[in-house]
Amino acid sequence: MRPEDLNPRQVASAVAPEDLAGLASSELRALGRRARRVEGLRKSTGAEVYTDDIVLPGMLHGKILRSTEAHARILSIDPGAALALPGVHAVITGRDMPTPYGIIPWTPDEHALCLDKVRFIGDAVAAVAAVDEDTANRALELIEVEYEALPAYLNAEAALAPEAAGEPIHAPKRPGRNGNILKHVQLEFGDVDGLMAESDEIVEGEYEFHGTTHTPIEPHCAIGRHNANGLLEVWSSTQVPHYLQRELARVLDLDVATVRVVQPAVGGAFGGKSEPFDLEFCVALLAIRTGRPVKILYTREEVFYSHRGRHPMKMRYRLGASGDGVLKALDAKTVLDGGAYASFGLVTTYYSGQLLTAPCHLESYRFDSKRVYTNVAPCGPKRGHGSVQPRFAFEISLDKMAERLEMDPFEIRRRNFMGLGRTINQFKVNSNGFLECLEAVEGASDWKARRGRLGHGRGLGVAASSYISGTNYPIYPNPMPQAAVQVQAERSGRVTVLHGASEIGQGSDSTMAYIACEELGVPLDYVRVFSADTDLTPVDLGAYSSRETVMVGNACLEACRNLRRAVVGALAEHWGVPGDRVQLAGGWAFDTAAVPPGDGTTDRCIPIAEAFQIAESARGLLGAVGSYNTPKDVHGDYRGGTIGASPAYSFTAHVAEAEVDEETGEVNVKTIWVAHDCGRALNPVLVEGQMEGSAYMGFAEALFEQQLFKEGGPEAGLHDGPSLLDYRLPTSLDCPEFEALIVESIDPEGPYGAKEAGEGPLHPSLPAIANAIYDAVGVRMDRLPFTPARVWRAIQESRESAAQPTAA
């Protein structure tokens, strides 16, 4: 293949002739095939075809070989045949990256590519870089891996069985421990046994959450490039550029200053991209080895196996209350199925208990949570991390208690409202709009007039929750700020904001722009926001735990106010007036005692650009920085007391209306009313979108989604349906009406009083639907999801039980 055999039009627009000279014949063939496809499309359609899909000379495609065994030792890996394939540039294995990693520094149990053992079907074993995807896929088929199969533990019960200790998934940290247990947390607050014994009513129940995954529309993707000056650049659809930068440097033994991570626009994440993944390490090392850019794009199947979604949990709850509805004691025992690796699991284990203590006050509380390794895809953080499952169990228990006490479900929640101050586990709450949330959904749903009166088969259910606005401490301990922002004002009137937060569709970039407009008086289209580039922006810890508005927003607020003081001070001196008379607003700078803005430019009412020029003349280049660190008095002094602590807490209440077909078991959710205390709503439209999106995701997990793995036969450990065809997601035609009701309680820790709105509104959807089903047909659904078959069986069992003769 010669350069002149390529389509000249495409070569001229995408390929420099001098670049062709050093290419292998297989690379020329690949480039030629792409050029002819584009040219054929142009001729057949008559349309101009751009060359963005042409891979520039030097760009290689990577693919990852994944385990076909659920649990096995790796006896040998032979890449010889793959390396001999024309077009293959490199093959790497775990021996090339032996340093373990993990998002939580105390549990680094993963390798970019497995060293001596695979722990689930889909575990990464080797990676190749080739001239195109077809060649890379063919190379994977030629890599020979010899395994020695080991016992596979596909659920928590199997992993906890005594015989599993002989061949654990991970070696125990201490002799005599079960290596299949990652973390076991036991915490007690108050005299649980004593107050339980004093309770007039006790409700007991067993609850089960099935496990779900994120299903972002955009799969994970990463591109690595190693420059001649030694700089490693990685572009990745990550939520945590800073953590990724640190782990790349550590695993590859590089100076962190020589590693750049850029997060481009991300097409959905929901927690599923909030830690490093194998593809990011592989593109980095392959780029270093080959001297060429390397790209890896997950297939949809790989997204399902990479997972990090919501943990399956089995929960046993005992709730005690006095005769007048005061909650005396809660005793919770939980087993979490964590999959093959730790991920955020240490934190998840604490979250499964720590985040239950608001908005309802508990006089005493004990939880026992155990996270277990299993030989399936690893679980991690999904929107509402760690607390959606226990909230499901608690809110149904609360509904049962209200029924036992013949009390309205709203009333029992009001009676136990915690207000402000400390929870039973010593978390500090500075603002609380929960009562207003209850009032909003009670009124909007017409609860008092309609509950229990809609006719058999149709019902209403209520549930509530609270959630953190960022974790009070970073994932790795350090005294530095959790967020920082740089702001620059340019003499044209433009303002530039540089921050490290990860924009994943939740609106963090927009929020920083709003703050700049509010503080510096510039129009929105004058603001440029640059984010999530470790070479250009200050360190930020990423988009997780709903931290961006409070933490990055406060840093941005400080930076903008610092800059505002400089501009206002310069104008006050220039005009000879007190600084408190100078205002910046609406694209103008003006003296409030002079002509109002909009009445024409005067010597003391000028466009913002002119104001910046005056300030720059007096002060020099206009720039400022701001940072934010969390308060230290918001948690108790006990082991684990910092996990679940937050600067601010949001509060939520839902009412769901559901219709149940008793003949088929089909549940049709008609409406979900969502009231959410988000503090100050900086952009009400964005807040409503987050509220509705959260409620949608909870609705989907209640009725549709299941992350299942086969447990028997030769297919044991395989995903039951790793595709968007088989993994059920509701479309717009399946969805109920969502009515978002914003409640603003104004928190002193948030910028302008703002709190989170992106995760908290998810939690109550599931138990609210369960409670609505009970109101409709009198059947308790304590196990998710509410599939037609499961609901139908529950109805049949209820009928059979009711038909049994009562003992004399």
Side-chain angles (χ1 to χ4, degrees), residues 756-767:
E756 78 87 31
E759 297 185 76
L762 187 153
H763 299 68
S765 290
L766 297 90

Side-chain angles (χ1 to χ4, degrees), residues 509-525:
D509 281 355
S510 299
T511 299
M512 303 314 135
Y514 304 151
I515 292 172
C517 291
E518 179 73 16
E519 295 299 319
L520 298 172
V522 296
L524 186 60
D525 58 1

Side-chain angles (χ1 to χ4, degrees), residues 41 46 112 162 213 277 286 299 305 369 371 373 379 407 444 457 510 518 630-631 647 655 692 760 783:
L41 182 61
T213 196
F277 284 86
L286 288 168
T299 63
Y305 278 106
S369 293
R371 190 197 191 258
Y373 287 117
C379 299
M407 183 178 292
S510 299
E518 179 73 16
T630 49
V655 167
E692 293 174 4
R783 183 184 176 197

Side-chain angles (χ1 to χ4, degrees), residues 717-769:
L718 278 172
H719 196 290
D720 205 45
S723 74
L724 294 181
L725 177 65
D726 297 297
Y727 187 89
R728 298 182 67 229
L729 291 169
T731 69
S732 59
L733 298 178
D734 303 305
C735 288
E737 291 293 320
F738 296 103
E739 185 173 336
L741 307 163
I742 294 175
V743 172
E744 296 181 296
S745 67
I746 315 304
D747 195 283
E749 279 295 326
Y752 310 115
K755 301 190 287 190
E756 78 87 31
E759 297 185 76
L762 187 153
H763 299 68
S765 290
L766 297 90
I769 293 170

Side-chain angles (χ1 to χ4, degrees), residues 248-315:
L248 283 169
R250 197 173 62 80
V251 170
L252 299 175
D253 195 23
L254 299 173
D255 183 340
V256 70
T258 66
V259 179
R260 179 191 185 193
V261 172
V262 181
Q263 179 226 293
V266 173
F270 315 114
K273 299 173 182 176
S274 55
E275 58 190 286
F277 284 86
D278 48 24
L279 80 167
E280 293 150 337
F281 297 101
C282 289
V283 297
L285 183 58
L286 288 168
I288 293 171
R289 290 284 177 87
T290 63
R292 311 272 285 271
V294 178
K295 172 183 175 180
I296 295 180
L297 170 67
Y298 276 176
T299 63
R300 180 58 60 182
E301 185 175 13
E302 286 179 296
V303 174
F304 276 98
Y305 278 106
S306 295
H307 190 33
R308 316 298 160 132
R310 204 168 321 278
H311 288 65
M313 291 191 193
K314 291 189 175 179
M315 299 159 281

Side-chain angles (χ1 to χ4, degrees), residues 445-789:
S445 65
D446 200 11
W447 173 273
K448 291 180 179 179
R450 300 175 68 232
R451 192 217 179 211
R453 299 179 178 87
L454 296 176
H456 191 73
R458 194 163 184 143
L460 296 174
V462 63
S465 187
S466 67
Y467 199 62
I468 57 177
S469 298
T471 56
N472 210 63
Y473 294 92
I475 288 174
Y476 66 98
N478 72 87
M480 293 175 284
Q482 288 218 41
V485 170
Q486 294 174 309
V487 180
Q488 176 200 28
E490 200 262 345
R491 61 188 66 173
S492 68
R494 189 191 71 232
V495 170
T496 301
V497 179
L498 294 97
H499 69 92
S502 296
E503 174 61 74
I504 57 173
Q506 83 282 39
S508 58
D509 281 355
S510 299
T511 299
M512 303 314 135
Y514 304 151
I515 292 172
C517 291
E518 179 73 16
E519 295 299 319
L520 298 172
V522 296
L524 186 60
D525 58 1
Y526 277 31
V527 181
R528 308 288 187 271
V529 178
F530 297 90
S531 60
D533 181 334
T534 61
D535 261 17
L536 300 179
T537 61
V539 168
D540 182 76
L541 303 183
Y544 63 91
S545 298
S546 289
R547 57 181 300 280
E548 303 287 36
T549 294
V550 168
M551 297 189 181
V552 187
N554 272 322
C556 187
L557 188 62
E558 180 181 273
C560 290
R561 284 180 174 172
N562 288 340
L563 183 54
R564 179 188 178 92
R565 278 192 288 271
V567 175
V568 167
L571 287 174
E573 293 172 7
H574 183 72
W575 289 337
V577 302
D580 59 4
R581 280 173 42 184
V582 178
Q583 293 294 319
L584 311 177
W588 295 81
F590 55 93
D591 176 4
T592 56
V595 180
D599 288 354
T601 302
T602 71
D603 61 343
R604 283 185 288 167
C605 181
I606 59 176
I608 197 71
E610 188 176 336
F612 286 174
Q613 292 165 20
I614 292 169
E616 186 174 341
S617 299
R619 300 286 195 268
L621 181 65
L622 297 176
V625 299
S627 60
Y628 176 77
N629 220 338
T630 49
K632 306 306 179 191
D633 64 339
V634 296
H635 57 82
D637 185 17
Y638 58 90
R639 183 177 178 85
T642 61
I643 303 178
S646 177
Y649 295 87
S650 68
F651 296 91
T652 308
H654 288 195
V655 167
E657 181 175 343
E659 186 176 71
V660 182
D661 186 331
E662 289 190 286
E663 299 306 312
T664 65
E666 182 179 5
V667 177
N668 184 3
V669 180
K670 297 295 187 180
T671 306
I672 299 178
W673 292 270
V674 184
H676 184 68
D677 166 24
C678 64
R680 176 80 69 194
L682 302 185
N683 181 329
V685 174
L686 274 181
V687 171
E688 288 177 356
Q690 289 295 306
M691 291 167 64
E692 293 174 4
S694 291
Y696 159 84
M697 189 167 279
F699 157 76
E701 293 184 85
L703 266 65
F704 289 80
E705 298 183 49
Q706 295 186 81
Q707 173 89 340
L708 298 176
F709 297 88
K710 300 180 187 299
E711 293 197 10
E715 296 181 336
L718 278 172
H719 196 290
D720 205 45
S723 74
L724 294 181
L725 177 65
D726 297 297
Y727 187 89
R728 298 182 67 229
L729 291 169
T731 69
S732 59
L733 298 178
D734 303 305
C735 288
E737 291 293 320
F738 296 103
E739 185 173 336
L741 307 163
I742 294 175
V743 172
E744 296 181 296
S745 67
I746 315 304
D747 195 283
E749 279 295 326
Y752 310 115
K755 301 190 287 190
E756 78 87 31
E759 297 185 76
L762 187 153
H763 299 68
S765 290
L766 297 90
I769 293 170
N771 293 336
I773 292 171
Y774 182 74
D775 186 46
V777 293
V779 171
R780 287 290 180 191
M781 299 301 301
D782 296 345
R783 183 184 176 197
L784 288 155
F786 309 140
T787 61

